[in-house]
Amino acid sequence: MRSATGTHIHAIGVLFLIGCSSPPAEASGQDTWITDFSKRTVPLEQIVSGGPPKDGIRSIDAPKFVSAREADRWLEDPEPVGVVRVGDEVKAYPLQILIFHEIVNDVVGEKPVTVTYCPLCNTTLAFERAFDGRLLDFGTTGRLRHSDLVMYDRQTESWWQQATGEGIVGAYAGRQLVFVPASVMSWEDVREQFEGVKVLSRETGIEGRAPPYGRSPYATYDRGRGPIRQFFGFGRDDDRLQAMERIVALDFGGEALAVPFSELEDVRVANVEVGGVRVAVLWAPGTASAVDRQYMAQGRDVGASATYDPVVGGRVLTFENAGDGRFRDRETGSVWNLAGRAIGGELAGAQLTEVVHGNHFWFAWGTFKPDTEVWRR
């Protein structure tokens, strides 16, 4: 095992749990690519083998979904679940499944999207798949850059940085994917706050022995302990926050802002402006870490965030903590839930519009956005 310039420890853990008897061979000896490597925006030496070959971590390309009632049989209340809402359709992607697949190519609200998750960086991000007049679908390269997933599109085999959505190698080097708002919340909040939600099924098309969904190969990772944590270097030195601090990551108008979960745990709300864009940042307890304990549902409570445009009916709202995982706007006294819906007061029934954000570990965001500001109370 080597450092971040060598073996992809987390992928080996995943494959071991699935049932491989030995670590995967170095990807470079097994892959074939049509990628134009002469086109790139980053030095190739920054892109390192993660261990498995191309598509060694298998994306979900024909996802199936079940009702919340059915999913409730195998999802526990505190488990972290990715949520993507487009129009009137809401889909939920349990991290207990994403942690073994990292990419789901899907359609939500008639919009083709890819939903991605990098456990090492804590990045659950979604992108539009319609790009440059064609429909892309994505897979895993088996590579990392700055500990972050490098994915590829199967149409041109260009390589993309998951944390930023930027093309870094190949025909689309220098191009930018369009983000789709995505949040991570507890299964309890998702089940109770999103009526009619469709949940990604455990029937993921894996032949033979299925991955042990519900278990995490990353036990103690975000506590800075365990073999996975020991073998990775985490970007540039930046002591403004601890490397594994979770943040709400915002990037608009050429400005970047990190809102630490440690600050939100006390105040629950941050009303901020980034690059001329107003954002209401909401935080509520009750969501387990996906990379803390062997069984994901037993992970410690790290909370969950959601971000919204605070303008409703032409009026800018200012939010504050209302207790019990709820929020109140000062202008009308209406009460809101984490899903951005007014559940009481003058604006009951109103829905806030989501804005793009991430819940990166600080080391990941600080590496890709070194000029970011850190929000303090």
Side-chain angles (χ1 to χ4, degrees):
M1 293 185 178
R2 299 195 295 274
S3 70
T5 59
T7 303
H8 189 174
I9 309 297
H10 95 282
I12 290 176
V14 170
L15 292 170
F16 176 77
L17 282 176
I18 292 174
C20 291
S21 60
S22 61
E26 287 294 319
S28 59
Q30 299 181 5
D31 295 354
T32 57
W33 294 96
I34 63 169
T35 308
D36 184 351
F37 289 98
S38 69
K39 296 180 179 179
R40 55 185 183 270
T41 60
V42 302
L44 288 179
E45 57 265 28
Q46 290 184 357
I47 304 172
V48 300
S49 171
K54 175 185 183 181
D55 292 320
I57 298 176
R58 291 180 52 185
S59 63
I60 300 174
D61 300 322
K64 298 179 181 180
F65 291 84
V66 298
S67 67
R69 183 175 182 178
E70 184 172 345
D72 210 28
R73 300 172 184 170
W74 45 268
L75 275 172
E76 297 188 42
D77 283 355
E79 284 196 56
V81 175
V83 180
V84 177
R85 172 172 43 192
V86 179
D88 294 329
E89 185 170 43
V90 182
K91 288 188 173 181
Y93 303 84
L95 296 198
Q96 64 157 260
I97 299 175
L98 286 183
I99 206 166
F100 288 98
H101 297 277
E102 301 193 357
I103 296 175
V104 180
N105 293 296
D106 198 10
V107 177
V108 184
E110 300 184 356
K111 182 188 292 292
V113 302
T114 187
V115 181
T116 67
Y117 174 57
C118 178
L120 293 178
C121 292
N122 199 53
T123 42
T124 303
L125 302 169
F127 307 93
E128 293 186 9
R129 290 168 53 208
F131 185 84
D132 199 30
R134 66 174 81 190
L135 185 63
L136 304 181
D137 59 292
F138 294 85
T140 59
T141 63
R143 270 75 168 177
L144 299 170
R145 177 169 174 262
H146 302 320
S147 298
D148 180 57
L149 163 67
V150 176
M151 54 191 191
Y152 79 99
D153 71 77
R154 296 193 175 107
Q155 285 62 42
T156 72
E157 296 202 351
S158 297
W159 293 12
W160 302 83
Q161 189 78 61
Q162 183 255 4
T164 64
E166 297 173 342
I168 56 175
V169 179
Y172 287 141
R175 302 291 297 275
Q176 175 68 54
L177 294 174
V178 176
F179 284 94
V180 175
S183 298
V184 175
M185 301 180 184
S186 71
W187 168 237
E188 181 179 22
D189 283 342
V190 171
R191 183 187 63 234
E192 294 183 355
Q193 298 183 24
F194 293 98
E195 184 177 356
V197 63
K198 301 174 182 178
V199 184
L200 181 65
S201 170
R202 282 176 156 185
E203 296 182 15
T204 55
I206 297 295
E207 297 179 1
R209 183 181 177 186
Y213 299 128
R215 295 180 65 186
S216 174
Y218 305 83
T220 73
Y221 173 69
D222 65 355
R223 294 174 181 259
R225 300 198 298 271
I228 296 174
R229 181 66 177 87
Q230 293 172 11
F231 286 99
F232 280 90
F234 293 114
R236 59 194 286 274
D237 292 331
D238 190 331
D239 60 3
R240 287 180 290 171
L241 294 169
Q242 295 294 316
M244 307 302 282
E245 168 82 70
R246 285 172 169 80
I247 62 163
V248 177
L250 300 167
D251 186 11
F252 300 104
E255 295 183 11
L257 181 69
V259 183
F261 272 34
S262 58
E263 298 282 337
L264 290 169
E265 187 174 358
D266 290 332
V267 296
R268 306 294 171 95
V269 176
N271 298 287
V272 302
E273 185 171 326
V274 186
V277 177
R278 295 188 181 94
V279 183
V281 180
L282 311 181
W283 183 94
T287 301
S289 167
V291 290
D292 179 44
R293 299 294 179 88
Q294 181 180 8
Y295 292 95
M296 196 172 291
Q298 297 174 3
R300 74 184 189 283
D301 185 354
V302 294
S305 69
T307 55
Y308 300 100
D309 179 350
V311 179
V312 177
R315 180 166 43 181
V316 180
L317 303 181
T318 307
F319 290 87
E320 60 187 11
N321 180 25
D324 197 27
R326 299 181 179 183
F327 312 90
R328 179 183 298 104
D329 72 78
R330 298 172 187 168
E331 287 70 24
T332 74
S334 299
V335 177
W336 305 75
N337 62 20
L338 189 62
R341 188 167 186 82
I343 55 177
E346 177 184 328
L347 298 178
Q351 176 65 55
L352 297 172
T353 300
E354 292 177 272
V355 299
V356 171
H357 82 293
N359 287 153
H360 305 52
F361 288 131
W362 168 243
F363 83 83
W365 184 251
T367 297
F368 289 108
K369 299 290 181 179
D371 295 327
T372 193
E373 296 292 328
V374 176
W375 181 86
R376 305 288 187 184
R377 286 173 289 173

